[in-house]
Amino acid sequence: MNREEIKLRLLLNLLTEFSERYDEILKLNQELIKKLEEEAKIDPLTGLPNRKALQDEIIKQINRIRRKANETLCLGILDLDNFKLINDTYGHIEGDKVLKDVANVLRRHLRSYDILGRWGGDEFIIGIVDCEYIKKPEKCKQCPVYYRIVADIRAIGQRYGINLGASLGTVKIPLEAEDFESAIKIADRRLYIAKDLGKHMIVNDIIEKELKEKGLIP
C-alpha cells in the first residue's frame, strides 16, 4: 500500500468515525429535546401536567367529543380552602408538601384516562371522561367523586390542625360548553360562587340553578 492509499484509508476511517459520532450526537440531541419538551409540560412540584399541558389535553378531549356522539367530559376547577393558613402557620416548605399530598389524593381518585393537573397556585383541574353521573341529577348534584376527594384533603388538614378543604366549580361538556374558553369560564364562575358562599362546596349546573331559585345568587 503506497503513501496515497494510506492517506485515503485514514481519511475514510476518519469520515466513518465522524459519521458514526454525528449520528450518535444527533440521537442524543433528539432524546434531550424530547425530554425537555416533556419536562416543559410537567409541574415540577407535584409532577402533574401544568397549565399549558392541561389546556392542550382539554382541547384534545373536546375535539374528540365533537367527533363522537354520546361522549362527555365533566370538567372542574378545584381550589383548596384555607390553604393560606398552612403557609402562614407552618411555612411554604410545609405548604409545598401539602400540595404534593393533594396531588396524590387526586391521582388516587381519578382514572388513568381522566384529566388531572395543576392549574396554578393551589388550584387543580380535574376532568372526568364519560362520567356515569352526568345524566343522573341527584347523583350529579352530590358528586361522589368530589366528596371522596374532600374527605382525604380534610385528613391532610387535620395533621396541621387546620380545616383544609376544597371548593369545586364544574361544567358539563358538550351539554353546557363546546369549546375550551367557554368551559373554563363557566367552571371558574361556579368556583367563585362556591368561594363566595362560604367555601367547602361544589357548584355545578344543578346547584347553581337551586341557588338562583333561592335568591342566593343573581
Side-chain angles (χ1 to χ4, degrees):
M1 184 178 294
N2 60 37
R3 190 185 183 112
E4 293 303 318
E5 288 176 333
I6 292 172
K7 285 183 179 180
L8 181 60
R9 177 65 60 86
L10 288 172
L11 179 60
L12 289 172
N13 288 341
L14 286 172
L15 288 172
T16 300
E17 183 179 353
F18 175 79
S19 177
E20 291 173 351
R21 291 296 303 277
Y22 176 80
D23 290 341
E24 181 181 343
I25 292 170
L26 182 62
K27 183 180 178 182
L28 287 172
N29 282 342
Q30 290 172 339
E31 291 174 353
L32 179 60
I33 290 170
K34 183 178 179 180
K35 182 180 179 182
L36 290 173
E37 287 175 344
E38 290 174 353
E39 288 178 351
K41 297 178 180 180
I42 299 297
D43 171 57
L45 178 64
T46 62
L48 295 176
N50 61 19
R51 192 183 187 100
K52 177 63 172 62
L54 279 169
Q55 180 173 334
D56 291 344
E57 181 60 24
I58 293 167
I59 290 172
K60 178 182 175 182
Q61 288 290 344
I62 289 174
N63 289 336
R64 178 187 64 82
I65 289 169
R66 285 173 176 165
R67 294 192 301 270
K68 298 182 178 180
N70 300 320
E71 295 197 8
T72 61
L73 174 66
C74 185
L75 189 69
I77 304 177
L78 182 143
D79 184 87
L80 297 181
D81 296 323
N82 299 327
F83 174 71
K84 187 175 183 297
L85 290 175
I86 301 283
N87 282 334
D88 291 347
T89 306
Y90 297 95
H92 289 275
I93 292 177
E94 286 300 317
D96 287 348
K97 289 180 182 178
V98 168
L99 289 174
K100 291 178 184 178
D101 288 343
V102 169
N104 288 331
V105 164
L106 296 174
R107 285 188 183 98
R108 287 200 303 271
H109 289 286
L110 295 180
R111 301 161 298 185
S112 60
Y113 54 86
D114 288 328
I115 295 174
L116 172 61
R118 187 180 179 195
W119 194 233
D122 60 343
E123 285 189 345
F124 297 84
I125 289 282
I126 61 175
I128 302 176
V129 176
D130 295 329
C131 178
E132 61 181 305
Y133 306 125
I134 203 164
K135 294 181 179 179
K136 299 176 182 178
E138 285 307 311
K139 279 285 188 181
C140 184
K141 178 182 175 181
Q142 297 303 321
C143 190
V145 175
Y146 166 72
Y147 286 102
R148 288 196 293 267
I149 288 171
V150 166
D152 285 352
I153 291 176
R154 288 187 182 278
I156 294 171
Q158 287 170 4
R159 300 202 308 255
Y160 298 91
I162 288 175
N163 185 24
L164 189 68
S167 296
L168 178 67
T170 70
V171 58
K172 297 172 182 174
I173 300 169
L175 305 177
E176 298 181 282
E178 295 185 351
D179 61 80
F180 172 79
E181 290 78 11
S182 299
I184 291 296
K185 185 176 180 180
I186 293 171
D188 195 53
R189 185 188 76 234
R190 288 173 177 164
L191 171 63
Y192 280 94
I193 290 173
K195 288 289 191 180
D196 288 342
L197 292 178
K199 307 177 183 179
H200 304 288
M201 65 182 294
I202 177 176
V203 175
N204 52 31
D205 58 326
I206 300 167
I207 293 174
E208 183 179 34
K209 181 180 179 183
E210 291 180 356
L211 292 170
K212 286 181 178 179
E213 290 172 350
K214 293 177 182 177
L216 295 175
I217 58 173

